[in-house]
Amino acid sequence: MDDLTDEATYQRVRAAQWHRHLSRRNLLRASAGAGLGAALLGSSPRRAAADGPIVKPLPPELFTVYGTNAETRWEAMRGQGPLTPVDRFFVRNHTRTPLIDARTWRLRVWGTGLRGSPGEERPVEFTHDDLLRLPAEELTAFIECTGNGRGFYTTQQGQTVSGTPWRLGGVGVARWRGVRLATVLEHAGLSRRAVDLLPRGLDDEFVDKGANLGRVRRPLPVDKALKDVLLAYEMNGAPLPPDHGFPVRLVVPSWVGIASIKWLGDIQVADQPLFSPWNTQYYRLFGPGYPAEGSAPLTRQVVKSAFELPWNARLAAGRTQVLHGRSWSGNGRIRHVDVSADGGATWHRARGRSGSRAWLQWDFRWRPEHPGAYELLARATDETGVTQPDQAPYNTLGYLFGAVVRHPVTVA
């Protein structure tokens, strides 16, 4: 069996599956509003949020708000520990946060990839209490919007992209507690025939340009699901808040945030490849240099770094400034970070400080002697040897911006 947790293998296998299985008829079916298995869901134990698309407070000193989304201001992370506090954890919603009663919530696992007669779609149901009774595990991991940094394609590289113009605040690290997805699949009767899973959320159906695409759902290879994916019901030692997936969400470590489905309602397990709009028309790379159908579905996140400073911060001349920041990568730990205070002319090693496996906190001492405008740059290298480039490869949807960001400051 191919190891679909290896990204190169995943891209090769999924590219072949795309051409082999996704005819025009299947593509239209993948984009349909209801999606597979709607009849199994029945009525949902949910209701819409009363006021606005996001439930929690969004004070302007903590967030920049883009409609249904809220980006963390990096200066709000200054002085925080290795975890992102829930009150400043970014929010990415396709529609609006649903309010769900855990007492009536059910997780349905179903499909031809479960044990039984070939072609049979036999649902297995779990209550919230069922999950609480299963062996629990904790995992510290970042979740990051695939478009995090998208705004820099335009402001830094002069390229036109579509989507929310995030800077770098579409990421957060939390300590998640829950049940391994592998454990739930074992209880549901996972078959050796299983190829793909299709987790789906309980948020409202998503309409894009007049087309109802149904509830957010995205295929996940079985090999990845069995490796390290968590069904999380706690975040930083407390029950998940509504905006972050209560009562249960997926946490898919190192992968693009769309894989970590919130408000999980059902999981289809199939003995053939699965498709949805979130791995066909979105979350692929499109544009010059890519085939018409786009790249393979996106998996791992890229390397990034951010300063814990306001944009256009004002600093004092003639004083030693201790610059703080964080770096992270979907490939694993950060090996080291280099900082430039002269727009990239010279580079110096930052001092790695406390952190988690999910990201590295670092600091750098800088004494600007002269007033004026400066650009601060941070460039991380991860344990696989990948270093942030000067320019991110262009794609029209603005995904996976991993270039070194030029952070402007004024010294007075």
Side-chain angles (χ1 to χ4, degrees):
M1 178 182 290
D2 289 303
D3 178 11
L4 296 184
T5 63
D6 174 77
E7 187 165 358
T9 304
Y10 182 92
Q11 291 175 350
R12 174 179 58 79
V13 171
R14 281 299 182 272
Q17 289 170 342
W18 170 271
H19 291 292
R20 194 164 58 241
H21 295 282
L22 197 59
S23 64
R24 177 172 176 78
R25 178 182 176 187
N26 288 336
L27 177 59
L28 293 173
R29 184 183 301 130
S31 299
L36 294 173
L40 285 172
L41 274 174
S43 60
S44 304
R46 61 194 178 101
R47 61 183 178 89
D51 299 306
I54 298 174
V55 172
K56 71 181 180 181
L58 301 172
E61 66 272 17
L62 299 184
F63 293 101
T64 301
V65 180
Y66 304 104
T68 62
N69 306 313
E71 173 177 10
T72 305
R73 292 187 181 273
W74 267 98
E75 60 267 33
M77 289 300 297
R78 179 73 179 90
Q80 302 299 317
L83 303 180
T84 306
V86 172
D87 70 341
R88 59 201 70 193
F89 205 101
F90 85 102
V91 179
R92 169 66 172 106
N93 284 354
H94 278 77
T95 55
R96 50 197 287 131
T97 296
L99 300 180
I100 300 172
D101 188 341
R103 296 168 299 180
T104 58
W105 174 86
R106 300 291 186 271
L107 173 64
R108 289 180 173 88
V109 183
W110 62 281
T112 57
L114 298 182
R115 287 194 293 270
S117 301
E120 182 183 358
E121 297 178 350
R122 178 175 56 87
V124 181
E125 199 170 83
F126 298 85
T127 67
H128 194 256
D129 284 342
D130 288 337
L131 296 188
L132 294 178
R133 284 190 287 265
L134 293 173
E137 293 196 11
E138 287 192 348
L139 170 70
T140 299
F142 71 79
I143 289 182
E144 181 179 11
C145 177
T146 320
N148 194 29
R150 177 185 284 125
F152 296 113
Y153 278 108
T154 300
T155 62
Q156 192 165 291
Q157 298 187 180
Q159 298 165 324
T160 300
V161 296
S162 61
T164 300
W166 305 90
R167 283 182 177 162
L168 290 171
V171 64
V173 169
R175 185 175 68 252
W176 311 96
R177 181 177 175 84
V179 182
R180 291 186 65 208
L181 179 53
T183 301
V184 170
L185 292 174
E186 179 184 358
H187 281 264
L190 184 68
S191 165
R192 292 184 178 182
R193 301 188 306 270
V195 173
D196 266 358
L197 278 61
L198 187 62
R200 178 166 51 172
L202 287 170
D203 42 342
D204 291 335
E205 294 178 346
F206 177 60
V207 178
D208 185 24
K209 299 181 179 66
N212 186 336
L213 304 182
R215 296 178 190 157
V216 177
R217 59 201 186 281
R218 189 175 193 260
L220 183 68
V222 166
D223 282 358
K224 174 64 175 176
L226 297 179
K227 181 180 180 182
D228 57 2
V229 177
L230 196 70
L231 288 170
Y233 46 71
E234 287 186 7
M235 179 181 184
N236 293 347
L240 284 172
D243 293 308
H244 301 294
F246 181 85
V248 175
R249 72 171 300 162
L250 282 188
V251 176
V252 183
S254 302
W255 279 31
V256 292
I258 185 62
S260 294
I261 297 292
K262 296 193 285 187
W263 316 295
L264 191 62
D266 74 304
I267 302 175
Q268 181 184 0
V269 186
D271 57 4
Q272 59 184 343
L274 296 172
F275 301 93
S276 86
W278 287 269
N279 79 329
T280 57
Q281 64 192 79
Y282 311 119
Y283 303 102
R284 291 172 175 254
L285 303 181
F286 297 95
Y290 298 104
E293 69 270 19
S295 70
L298 300 179
T299 56
R300 289 186 180 274
Q301 273 288 3
V302 295
V303 192
K304 288 190 180 74
S305 300
F307 287 94
E308 295 172 354
L309 275 175
W311 203 249
N312 294 311
R314 295 184 64 85
L315 305 175
R319 290 186 181 178
T320 298
Q321 308 287 337
V322 182
L323 306 175
H324 296 265
R326 304 184 191 222
S327 300
W328 62 99
S329 171
N331 299 320
R333 291 180 181 271
I334 296 297
R335 182 181 295 167
H336 58 78
V337 178
D338 296 310
V339 173
S340 173
D342 53 16
T346 60
W347 294 88
H348 307 276
R349 188 62 46 88
R351 181 174 70 100
R353 301 190 299 111
S354 62
S356 68
R357 293 183 59 88
W359 58 15
L360 175 72
Q361 294 177 263
W362 47 263
D363 60 54
F364 179 76
R365 299 175 70 84
W366 177 46
R367 184 180 176 88
E369 298 293 346
H370 306 290
Y374 293 80
E375 285 185 330
L376 303 177
L377 281 65
R379 182 177 64 193
T381 300
D382 68 28
E383 62 185 355
T384 69
V386 174
T387 299
Q388 290 180 256
D390 294 329
Q391 188 164 9
Y394 173 66
N395 67 94
T396 58
L397 295 180
Y399 293 138
L400 300 185
F401 185 92
V404 174
V405 170
R406 309 179 79 86
H407 191 120
V409 298
T410 299
V411 174

